[in-house]
Amino acid sequence: MIIDSLMTRARASIAKRKQYNRLVAEIDSFSTRDLADMRADRSEMLYQIHKQIYG
């Protein structure tokens, strides 16, 4: 039972990290010009995805 719980939490943690890394890579792929066109700030976007995924 305890091992089952640990494995479930580990899988959830790995899934969150994969999603976070994928979104960070996508944001990092935007050029400064792309961000300016979207009127977006890279650091704010990174903060928001961290908040969204990890709470």
Side-chain angles (χ1 to χ4, degrees), residues 4 7 13 17 19 27 30 42 44 50:
D4 221 18
M7 292 301 290
S13 180
R17 176 54 72 175
Q19 182 182 16
I27 290 170
F30 294 139
R42 188 180 318 270
E44 181 63 25
H50 188 273

Side-chain angles (χ1 to χ4, degrees), residues 2 6-7 10-12 16 19 23 31-32 35 38 47 55:
I2 293 173
L6 287 173
M7 292 301 290
R11 284 187 194 107
K16 282 183 180 182
Q19 182 182 16
L23 290 170
S31 69
T32 304
L35 293 169
M38 293 186 288
Y47 170 75

Side-chain angles (χ1 to χ4, degrees), residues 35-52:
L35 293 169
D37 289 345
M38 293 186 288
R39 294 185 178 138
D41 180 67
R42 188 180 318 270
S43 62
E44 181 63 25
M45 291 173 78
L46 293 171
Y47 170 75
Q48 290 299 325
I49 64 164
H50 188 273
K51 193 166 96 173
Q52 176 186 358

